[in-house]
Amino acid sequence: MPEPTTPEPAATAEPAPTRRTRAATSEPEPTKPAPAKAEPPATRPARPATAEPATPATGEHPPTAKPRRRQARGERRIAQLLDAAASVFCTSGYTAASTNAIAREAGVSPGTLYQFFPNKEAIAVELGGRLLERWRDSHGAALTAANLDLPLDQLLDAVLDPLFAFNHENPAFAVLVHGPDVPGQITQEFDALHAVLLTRIEEIVASFLPDAPPAELSLIATMIFAIFKAGLDLVLAHEGEERQAYIDEIKKVLFRYLAPIVGFCPAGQPAAEQRDAQPGAHSH
């Protein structure tokens, strides 16, 4: 009789497998949708894609036109600040000028100025670079080979008039080039351009004096530039008829200095013919 009762407790021990089934049922836990809920960030990049079709409605050019408009406005603002700086440098000198004075002259706040230039030196370097470029262009136009066959008086007109005009229209050039305490970059660029100018003058003189030694050509070119520079201060200090009178006097000085060297060339007679007519005119 006890034998049939003993197997029954073993049958009641079956709840252990039920724990296994719970473990089996607990397996879906890794498949809980918690990480799956993080999917919305992947949908965020899709929003710009839906916003892109709106751009064709405005046309293809506006995305590139906006930066161009900003760039154009920026260039106009820079030009405005540089014009103001030129005025302040002329009235106060470079050393006494300040960014506040430049901003005030331009009609903008100092904060607006600092958006384009970090300091006064940066303004001077940019302004000086642009003026040197204009100076190079005016000298290049004046010292062309086409002027070499002109009579001496007309040659002086063709060479000097553009140079006087440039310095009169850009008075800040002399302040930045010859003033004290200007940034070294400006003086270095001017010295390099000045050397090129003297070389060009030497070449022009050499066309009149093909047998002259280099030292003599250098001396004559240096004297020509020194006479021009000395008279330029008088020209810039006057206006109207007085200014023109000083320009005429400088031309007379240079003519009387050069005529015995290259030979006097009356108006209407090419310089080459005059040199051939007076082969000894350059000896001195």
Side-chain angles (χ1 to χ4, degrees), residues 8 19 30 45 56 68 81-82 85 98-100 122 153 156 168 175 183 186 197 210 227 252 268-269 274 283:
E8 291 178 356
R19 293 178 182 175
R68 288 176 184 173
L81 292 170
L82 293 179
S98 65
T99 53
N100 286 340
D153 53 349
L156 291 175
H168 183 260
V175 176
I186 297 177
L197 174 63
I227 293 171
K252 290 178 183 178
Q269 183 176 4
Q274 181 62 33
S283 60

Side-chain angles (χ1 to χ4, degrees), residues 17-187:
T18 59
R19 293 178 182 175
R20 293 179 184 173
T21 57
R22 289 178 183 175
T25 57
S26 63
E27 290 177 0
E29 292 179 357
T31 61
K32 287 181 180 180
K37 292 180 180 179
E39 291 178 0
T43 60
R44 291 178 183 175
R47 292 179 182 175
T50 58
E52 289 176 357
T55 55
T58 58
E60 296 179 355
H61 297 288
T64 55
K66 290 180 180 178
R68 288 176 184 173
R69 285 198 296 269
R70 287 195 295 269
Q71 184 177 4
R73 287 196 297 268
E75 288 296 331
R76 288 194 297 270
R77 181 68 74 187
I78 290 174
Q80 177 186 4
L81 292 170
L82 293 179
D83 289 343
S87 177
V88 173
F89 291 155
C90 288
T91 55
S92 304
Y94 175 77
T95 303
S98 65
T99 53
N100 286 340
I102 294 172
R104 185 165 53 251
E105 179 71 18
V108 301
S109 67
T112 299
L113 182 148
Y114 288 127
Q115 291 178 2
F116 299 93
F117 298 103
N119 48 44
K120 179 180 70 173
E121 180 178 357
I123 298 175
V125 168
E126 178 66 21
L127 177 62
R130 297 193 180 196
L131 291 176
L132 283 171
E133 188 64 27
R134 297 177 197 169
W135 190 68
R136 184 184 294 107
D137 293 340
S138 65
H139 280 70
L143 302 175
T144 58
N147 293 332
L148 298 183
D149 287 331
L150 294 173
L152 181 57
D153 53 349
Q154 295 181 17
L155 174 62
L156 291 175
D157 290 338
V159 171
L160 295 179
D161 286 345
L163 306 185
F164 284 126
F166 167 82
N167 283 274
H168 183 260
E169 295 167 0
N170 302 280
F173 177 76
V175 176
L176 292 177
V177 169
H178 305 297
D181 302 328
V182 296
Q185 181 178 344
I186 297 177
T187 56

